[in-house]
Amino acid sequence: PCTVTEMLHLCVDDGVKYFVIINVESERAVFGTDLDLLEMVPFGEGMLVPKVLAQMREYLVQHGGLEQEGIFRLAPDEVDTRLTKESFNQGTFSPASASVDVNCIANLVKVFFRELPIQVLASVPCNLLLTAEGEEECQKVMDLLPQMSRWLFTWLLDLMCEVVMHEERNKMSSRNIAVVVSPNLFNQLDMNPLQSLVLSQKTVNVVHTLLVHRLRSVYHYEPHQTQMR
């Protein structure tokens, strides 16, 4: 928690002035917050990831989210999403005791990446995203990322791999999940609609290439589907 101090200046009818100092203690949000301010937990070999992401993955695994048809694609209830997001921001969410729609948690994973002060792929030149073809060139995208962004992207790719390895049940192929996740990894606010569309399509291709490479090289899994259903 952090403490915010405010001074109120009050004037009453008889001209008497009062100054009131108020200390307000509040929880620091985890969504939309600088990564340096978030609690981190170990991930993989020597990497760190925000605790909130680890909690969301844990919930998805424990509650069958990886097998849920349309996971990461289906829109959850807006009220449930808002309330669950608030529970994460307030530090009250517990994967062991919570009862939340897995689609809500999957959506909040995307929201977390979308609301980062600096998106994961923000440091990659647009020209590289637009021209990268094949595993070697797409790997250059990973190599250009700052350490924390690279760790976050690796964590996300691993979660996407786990989803794809259940594609027979969840109908989420490597292409499907790349399409729904990729737009949350870069900032489109300063682009016109056509530029945004082109960059989005190219980013999907880069993410999909890296995802398939990781599925094959790390998980020894050959994805079944490569097209949108």
Side-chain angles (χ1 to χ4, degrees):
C2 58
T3 300
V4 178
T5 301
E6 293 287 348
M7 177 178 287
L8 302 182
H9 181 193
L10 304 178
C11 292
V12 294
D13 292 339
D14 60 3
V16 179
K17 297 181 180 180
Y18 297 91
F19 293 92
V20 180
I21 296 178
I22 301 176
N23 290 322
V24 180
E25 189 174 84
S26 63
E27 293 292 332
R28 179 177 287 122
V30 294
F31 285 84
T33 299
D34 193 303
L35 294 171
D36 291 337
L37 301 177
L38 296 181
E39 180 180 355
M40 297 287 174
V41 295
F43 155 68
E45 297 182 2
M47 294 181 282
L48 296 173
V49 68
K51 181 180 178 180
V52 59
L53 290 180
Q55 288 180 315
M56 289 193 281
R57 179 195 170 277
E58 179 184 349
Y59 189 90
L60 288 173
V61 171
Q62 292 181 348
H63 294 81
L66 301 182
E67 296 87 23
Q68 177 73 31
E69 184 170 339
I71 194 69
F72 283 97
R73 187 183 70 216
L74 298 180
D77 181 84
E78 291 184 7
V79 175
D80 287 346
T81 299
R82 177 175 57 80
L83 293 176
T84 305
K85 184 180 180 182
E86 288 177 1
S87 71
F88 278 114
N89 279 332
Q90 295 166 2
T92 59
F93 184 88
S94 171
S97 60
S99 179
V100 182
D101 178 14
V102 290
N103 291 300
C104 176
I105 298 298
N107 183 64
L108 284 174
V109 171
K110 295 189 294 183
V111 170
F112 180 89
F113 280 87
R114 184 166 64 248
E115 293 187 355
L116 283 171
I118 301 176
Q119 274 77 25
V120 166
L121 297 181
S123 62
V124 181
C126 286
N127 287 341
L128 180 55
L129 290 174
L130 291 171
T131 60
E133 298 285 349
E135 290 182 4
E136 184 175 344
E137 291 186 9
C138 290
Q139 186 58 47
K140 292 179 181 178
V141 172
M142 288 286 287
D143 295 340
L144 283 175
L145 298 179
Q147 178 176 272
M148 183 54 68
S149 293
R150 189 166 63 252
W151 288 351
L152 284 178
F153 195 19
T154 300
W155 179 92
L156 183 60
L157 286 173
D158 280 349
L159 180 59
M160 294 167 71
C161 284
E162 291 182 279
V163 171
V164 174
M165 288 190 291
H166 293 86
E167 63 184 317
E168 288 299 322
R169 296 193 63 181
N170 61 34
K171 312 303 181 188
M172 291 300 291
S173 67
S174 56
R175 172 63 64 174
N176 286 352
I177 196 163
V179 166
V180 297
V181 169
S182 297
N184 303 283
L185 305 181
F186 63 95
N187 190 346
Q188 307 176 56
L189 296 179
D190 298 328
M191 303 177 188
N192 64 50
L194 180 58
Q195 290 174 322
S196 178
L197 176 62
V198 172
L199 183 59
S200 179
Q201 292 172 337
K202 292 295 186 178
T203 302
V204 167
N205 291 337
V206 171
V207 172
H208 181 245
T209 299
L210 292 170
L211 174 60
V212 171
H213 173 70
R214 194 159 183 83
L215 279 164
R216 291 169 175 166
S217 63
V218 176
Y219 293 90
H220 309 293
Y221 178 85
E222 185 64 32
H224 301 167
Q225 303 292 332
T226 59
Q227 302 296 325
M228 284 288 289
R229 289 186 175 184

